Amino acid sequence: MRWAADAEGHGPVRYGPPLPDDGLPVLPDLCAVVAAAAGRGVAEPVGGGTALLDAACGYWERRGLPTAPEHVAAGPGAPSLLLALTAALGGDVLVPRPCAAWWAPYARLLGRPVFHVATPAECGGVPDPYALLETVRRVREEGGDPRLLVLSVADDPTGTVAPPEVLHEAVEAAVGEGLHLVSDETWRDTLHHPPDRRHYPPDPRHPSPDRRHSPPDPLHFPGTSLLSPAEMLPDRVTVVTDLAGALLPTGWPAAVARFPGDPAGARLHARVLDVLTALGARVASPVAAAAAHALAEPEPVTARAAAAVRLHARVAAHLHDAVVGAGALARPPQAGRHLYVDLGPLRTALTAHGVGDAQELEDFLTVRLGMPAPGGQRFGDDLAALRVRLATGPLLGGTDEERAACLDSPSPLELPHVDRALTTVKTVFDDLRDDAQRWEPPR
């Protein structure tokens, strides 16, 4: 991925930010599965083979969403599935503002208008219901045909999780207007404080973690409840999950979609398979084997996922403290490996550095931090707003050995390479705070 600040790289989709990587070495268990399947030259069927589809059904069953194989399709990453869904559903597309960087380009590739809808104060990922109703009304008055709403309960870029009551209001408004919902649940298994500790138990190797840098103790933290829209209205929601969220490396593209179980869902499933076939969008056979293995959630996979979530939660909490302590704004991260930062309060300091919009902020922080800092314009946000997404993966080290050490350490934030990275972030933001205070006009 190229992060240069030259003008040519500012706009094209190919320079957009990838999913936040976990920054960790690939689990040996998954490497063994891929190696065992590498000798088989037979292609995986379009939409996924039996083993992959059955594993996906089991995955959703364990999350309270009973699913039959004929209602599932797999693709080489969530973007291919969203492209196929958008093509199959037709009409205009609505998304929250901000939203994942890869949502809107696929609609525009098909010539479909994309309309951004403001999000509520509590979270990102879902539209404010009143703003949604007003947007739908306006689009229809102007001759548009809104049919699809894409949302995410555990959100990229904001790292927040929509409270169930907020989600209910948004989904009811969308369904009342006849919209089909696509729920991107890539990050649902990365909750920092899940109320149910079955998937992410405390690490038995380190029962007494470093309290200075730890997130709040789960026993004294209310937990984050995640509700899928498909649990509310199963006949109007298609769920898409990219396995790069918690189960596979980002370089092994695989994703699964769960369709409604009614006749309309069956027709949508068939149309999506047609589009995937036309694109030749199938999961590579060795990756499909790894995806089926990961979706079955054997103990090594769940243990690694749990360890990765704990690690990134701790880094994200420390990162959040650093940016908020410097006067920037950010909602506390609740899921994923990222947080969304608003540097509007530090605008005076940034202006002195020649930073006046999100693109210039992206260029400035990418250089100063030594890691990608994609601006809010990548996520459909206002270019004039000084917002960026910061990821935790780049803070874990530059080699597999350094990253692996983060998993094995009882105090990963005190490892020298992690401490240096976090100190760099804190210094950059503290310097901006000091500059802002220095240049603040006297009262």
Side-chain angles (χ1 to χ4, degrees), residues 37 42 166 174 194 265 329 411:
V42 178
V166 173
L329 303 175
S411 302

Side-chain angles (χ1 to χ4, degrees), residues 32 100 102 190 196 212 223 301 345 348 350 402 409 438:
W102 55 273
T190 65
D196 183 341
R212 265 192 315 144
V301 170
T348 56
L350 289 164
E402 288 180 340
S409 172
R438 186 179 307 117

Side-chain angles (χ1 to χ4, degrees), residues 172-364:
E172 287 176 358
V175 171
E177 294 298 325
L179 303 178
H180 186 86
L181 279 71
V182 170
S183 177
D184 176 7
E185 300 185 6
T186 294
W187 303 104
R188 71 165 296 154
D189 295 324
T190 65
L191 299 188
H192 296 179
H193 304 287
D196 183 341
R197 306 300 292 179
R198 286 175 298 175
H199 290 294
Y200 304 115
D203 189 341
R205 299 170 301 168
H206 311 305
S208 300
D210 170 18
R211 294 287 178 182
R212 265 192 315 144
H213 296 310
S214 295
D217 185 342
L219 296 177
H220 301 97
F221 194 89
T224 303
S225 297
L226 185 146
L227 177 68
S228 170
E231 297 177 64
M232 299 168 50
L233 292 166
D235 292 343
R236 300 301 298 270
V237 180
T238 299
V239 176
V240 173
T241 299
D242 197 307
L243 273 61
L247 298 176
L248 288 183
T250 54
W252 298 4
V256 287
R258 178 190 184 274
F259 294 82
D262 62 349
R267 291 192 295 271
L268 178 59
H269 178 262
R271 293 198 299 273
V272 165
L273 290 181
D274 286 341
V275 176
L276 294 175
T277 301
L279 295 173
R282 65 183 80 219
V283 184
S285 294
V287 175
H293 181 78
L295 284 165
E297 298 183 294
E299 193 277 334
V301 170
T302 57
R304 164 57 78 84
V309 169
R310 283 191 299 268
L311 173 61
H312 284 281
R314 296 173 74 176
V315 176
H318 196 68
L319 185 60
H320 179 263
D321 288 347
V323 300
V324 171
L329 303 175
R331 295 186 183 101
Q334 297 172 292
R337 305 185 278 262
H338 50 278
L339 69 157
Y340 200 55
V341 183
D342 184 347
L343 283 83
L346 303 176
R347 183 177 288 275
T348 56
L350 289 164
T351 299
H353 288 287
V355 174
D357 62 27
Q359 180 59 63
E360 293 169 347
L361 180 61
E362 173 183 312
D363 298 339
F364 175 79

Side-chain angles (χ1 to χ4, degrees), residues 26-37:
V26 179
L27 182 67
D29 225 45
L30 294 175
C31 291
V33 172
V34 169

Side-chain angles (χ1 to χ4, degrees), residues 7-30:
E8 181 187 356
H10 283 173
V13 172
R14 64 184 181 277
Y15 296 111
L19 287 176
D21 198 328
D22 71 3
L24 300 172
V26 179
L27 182 67
D29 225 45
L30 294 175

